[in-house]
Each structure stands twice: as C-alpha cells, then as structure tokens.
Amino acid sequence: MAVAGSPRAARGLAFLCFVVSCAALAGASRPSREDLDVSLGGGGGVGIGIGIGGGGQGGSSSSSPAPSPSGPRPCDFENERLYRAYLVIQQFGQSVSCDPMDITRSWSGTDLCSSYKGFFCERPPNVTDRTIASVDFNGYMLRSDSLQGFVDSLPDLALFHANSNDFGGAVPALGGLQYFYELDLSNNRLAPAPFPAQVLGLTNATFIDIRFNSFYGELPAGVFCRFPRIQAIFVNNNQFSGSLPDNIGQSPVNYLSLANNRFTGEIPRSIARNAGTLLEVLFLNNSLSGCLPYELGLLEKATVIDAGTNRLTGTIPASFACLRKVEQLNLADNLLYGEVPDALCRLAFGRLKNLTLSGNYFTSLGSCCWDLIKEGRLNVDRNCIQWAPNQRSHEECARFLRQPKSCPVSDYVPCRPKYHGSGEPAAGEAAEEDDARAAVEYKYRTYSALHP
C-alpha cells in the first residue's frame, strides 16, 4: 500500500500541480481592447467598461513574496494565478496599520474571488483560469505607508480604485501592467512629488484620477499625448503650477478637471482640437491670464465650461454663441469687459441652465439677458452694468476701464444661427430640447470631482 503522506510524495504532488498550472498559462495570448468587455468594481470613476487582460506573470515589476511555511499551498487554490495573488495580498495586509472598517479581516483563506473585500476576479480572454482583475478600495479608509509591491505585483490587474484612503509613499511603477485601464488614487496622502512619471506609462489608460493629493510642478505634455484612449483626467485640488501644455488639444479626453491648482498663463488655443470629444472642462480657481480664447467657443459638444476665478480678460468672443450644448457656463471672477452678447443669452432657449458672469467689468447686456436675470439663470453681480442690481462702484469701474485693453474683438460667428429672431427654437429642434429637459437630471462628473 502506498504511503501518500510521506514527505517525498507530498513534494512530488506539489511540483506536479505547479507544472500543470504553468502549462495552462503558456498559451495565453494578448487580446485587443475591443475583445475586453467586462465591467468591474463599484469605483467612483465615470462608469467606463474595463477589459480584463491575461498573459503570464511578466507584467509585474516586483517578485512575488515568499510563501509562508505554515500557510496554504499552491494546490489549495483554484489556480496558480490566485495563489500568487494571495501571497501579494497577505504581504500588503501586514502593511495596513489602520483599518476602521475591519476590511482586512476578510483577507484570509483560499477563496479570493468571493470572500476578499475589495477584490474582484474574472477569466482573462482565451484563458480558463480566473485572476484578480479589479481592486476597489473606495472609501475603505485603509492606512498604509506604501502601495509599492502591491498594485504593481498583480500582473493581470485592469483597475485600481482607492479613493479616500490613507495611502502614502510614491505611486507604484505601473507601466508593466499591460492590461491596466483605470487608476484612482484620489484623496490620499501620497508623497508630495511632481506629476508621477509612472502614470505616463499607462498608455492604455481610460481613467486617471489623482485629485486631492499634494502633487506639484508643471503638468507634463505627456498627459495630453500618451493616452490615446483616455476618457477622464482629474488632477484638481493639487499644487500644480506653471503654464498648461500647448498640446492640450491632442488628447481625446471627455472629462477634464484642472481646477483648484496654481496654473498660470493662457488657456492653450489648441483646445479647439478637442471640439469633437470634450464634454466637460474645469479651469476653475487657478491664476490663468491672457485673453478669453475664441477657441473655447468651438467646443461644440461641451456641456460644462468653467473658467471662473482666474485672471482672464477681454470681451466674450462671438464664437460662444455656438456652444449649443452647454448647460453650465461659468466665467465669474475674472477681468472680462464689454457687452454680454445677446446671442450668448439666447442659448438659454436651448440647454443653458446657468450662466455665471459675476465679478467682472461688463458694461452692458443684450436684450435677452435681462430676462435671464429675472429667471435666476444669469448672475451679473459686481459688474459695471447700469440699472443692474449689486454692481461695482462708479469709481472702481472707471479705474478699470481707463486701463489699456489689448485683446482682439472678433464678431465672426463660426456656426449657423440656431434660433429665429423671435427667440423660439428653429423648426424641428423643439422636440429634441423637450426630451433633454424631460431626461433625468444630468450629473456633472467634473463638478462631482471637486469633492473628495
């Protein structure tokens, strides 16, 4: 009778299991993003579909932790991938020094896919084994001094969401994670540093969120040219400074939040190239200067444009009359002057819900604008408009208006008029606007990003 429990037999069995697992990994091929259609995690991103990648262990920049002599064996797990992930998770769990929701208590045993809170599994395309494909720690309030050796040691990871934790240290080297698409490190205590170069290596990224940290320095041009599939970039509420990269128009980004930093200089005119993709953009609360660019009026798909609380000057370009899908337009607390165009106010007959122009030096209003003030949809407080309420003093207005003005004035409207002179929608468009008003109230993703 064979003695199955002998040490030599046990070692032989473990080795056999390891060889079989490796053989299963060998044929994995790298799929295209079009083949990846699995959505994972409940993270606070923008609802982007996440593709789950397969392929061996080569994507990890860190070696796997050594197994514990008393812990589970490889053959106790569903497959070798999950065993290796188990070792990584156990090592990271030991680094967690604060866990007010008792999350890490669930990180025990061999069933990673069902019982480990924050971890989600999927089978990579063309591979029978399941793997850790998504990590969602949003709101867990875990504290650890470093994420290195954790995120970068899960080679099949596609998504990492960690909003509102207490993670420190540097951003891990993520470039080796060839299937990685979403990164959310917002509202943590990552070490103060320039924009993390590790993030620029995520060339497949669709979602990048590093807001509410302490990053500083200039925003690298790579942010707008290294991510051909990017949908959302949130870098607000850091300490970034300097001029915005001139190549901002190279990015296909849909949602861009640059708010609450220390950016200076002009809004790059290349933003006109974002006309077909940009839906929401926040320049809010920086120190941007120069003339309000004509090119902002070419963002034909934009629903939110917020450049409030800067030092932009000039008149409102005639191109702004072409912002037919804009719902929120904020230019408050700048150095703008001249007339508020009637054509801009007529956008309120379409989708425009809120037009904020307070804290500038406008001197007159188009005829339709007065009605918007009465309806509460136009705020022109603290300007220089005769007969309007809550305006600046005559002395303050005169002092500003005496200063030389250098911004060009363009009356060219680069789109066909949408509305008839009566102020009613042109034929065939009333039904579309009624549907828009009847829809569930839209949640502006960039404004939501202004909260941790």
Side-chain angles (χ1 to χ4, degrees), residues 31-297:
S32 67
R33 187 171 191 273
E34 288 70 20
D35 296 329
L36 309 175
D37 56 359
V38 181
S39 295
L40 290 177
V46 296
I48 299 169
I50 296 301
I52 305 309
Q57 306 298 327
S60 176
S61 60
S62 303
S63 59
S64 297
S68 169
S70 60
R73 301 168 301 169
C75 287
D76 295 329
F77 291 81
E78 185 177 320
N79 58 62
E80 180 73 14
R81 278 183 169 86
L82 291 175
Y83 172 64
R84 292 184 178 275
Y86 165 82
L87 297 178
V88 172
I89 295 169
Q90 296 308 309
Q91 178 175 275
F92 176 69
Q94 293 175 8
S95 77
V96 174
S97 59
C98 184
D99 180 9
M101 300 174 67
D102 209 21
I103 298 298
T104 57
R105 182 182 294 272
S106 70
W107 299 353
S108 63
T110 61
D111 189 3
L112 280 66
C113 298
S114 298
S115 62
Y116 279 45
K117 290 183 179 178
F119 294 91
F120 301 86
C121 296
E122 276 296 337
R123 288 182 174 86
N126 304 317
V127 177
T128 57
D129 291 343
R130 291 195 297 174
T131 180
I132 295 294
S134 171
V135 176
D136 189 345
F137 289 167
N138 279 0
Y140 281 178
M141 297 183 287
L142 299 173
R143 177 184 298 167
S144 177
D145 289 336
S146 178
L147 291 171
Q148 293 179 336
F150 172 51
V151 182
D152 48 332
S153 294
L154 297 172
D156 294 312
L157 197 64
L159 177 154
F160 183 69
H161 280 185
N163 170 268
S164 297
N165 284 274
D166 195 13
F167 294 141
V171 176
L174 303 173
L177 304 182
Q178 57 183 328
Y179 302 108
F180 200 94
Y181 298 125
E182 290 200 17
L183 177 66
D184 183 353
L185 294 173
S186 58
N187 195 29
N188 279 278
R189 58 175 180 88
L190 298 173
F195 187 93
Q198 298 88 336
V199 174
L200 294 177
L202 298 175
T203 54
N204 288 328
T206 61
F207 180 85
I208 293 175
D209 186 350
I210 59 170
R211 60 198 166 92
F212 287 97
N213 280 288
S214 298
F215 295 112
Y216 60 84
E218 294 188 355
L219 205 60
V223 172
F224 299 108
C225 65
R226 296 291 297 276
F227 310 121
R229 300 167 179 169
I230 196 70
Q231 297 177 23
I233 300 174
F234 297 152
V235 299
N236 54 276
N237 293 85
N238 280 282
Q239 299 174 29
F240 290 117
S241 59
S243 299
L244 294 174
D246 289 337
N247 69 334
I248 191 171
Q250 285 186 255
S251 176
V253 66
N254 305 130
Y255 304 95
L256 175 62
S257 180
L258 305 168
N260 300 325
N261 281 286
R262 302 172 182 175
F263 291 118
T264 57
E266 299 183 354
I267 296 176
R269 297 186 181 277
S270 71
I271 199 168
R273 295 171 59 185
N274 297 105
T277 58
L278 194 57
L279 304 179
E280 300 180 19
V281 58
L282 301 187
F283 298 105
L284 175 69
N285 195 26
N286 283 283
S287 296
L288 297 170
S289 59
C291 303
L292 183 65
Y294 178 91
E295 288 77 8
L296 277 182

Side-chain angles (χ1 to χ4, degrees), residues 313-315 334-339 360-364 382-386 391-406:
T313 190
T315 60
N334 280 285
L335 303 172
L336 304 174
Y337 54 85
E339 181 181 57
N360 283 285
Y361 292 88
F362 292 111
T363 53
S364 61
R382 294 179 292 113
N383 276 279
C384 303
I385 302 168
Q386 191 175 16
Q391 298 298 290
R392 298 180 185 273
S393 68
H394 176 75
E395 292 76 17
E396 187 178 6
C397 291
R399 187 165 53 251
F400 174 83
L401 295 174
R402 281 196 299 267
Q403 297 174 8
K405 309 293 188 295
S406 58

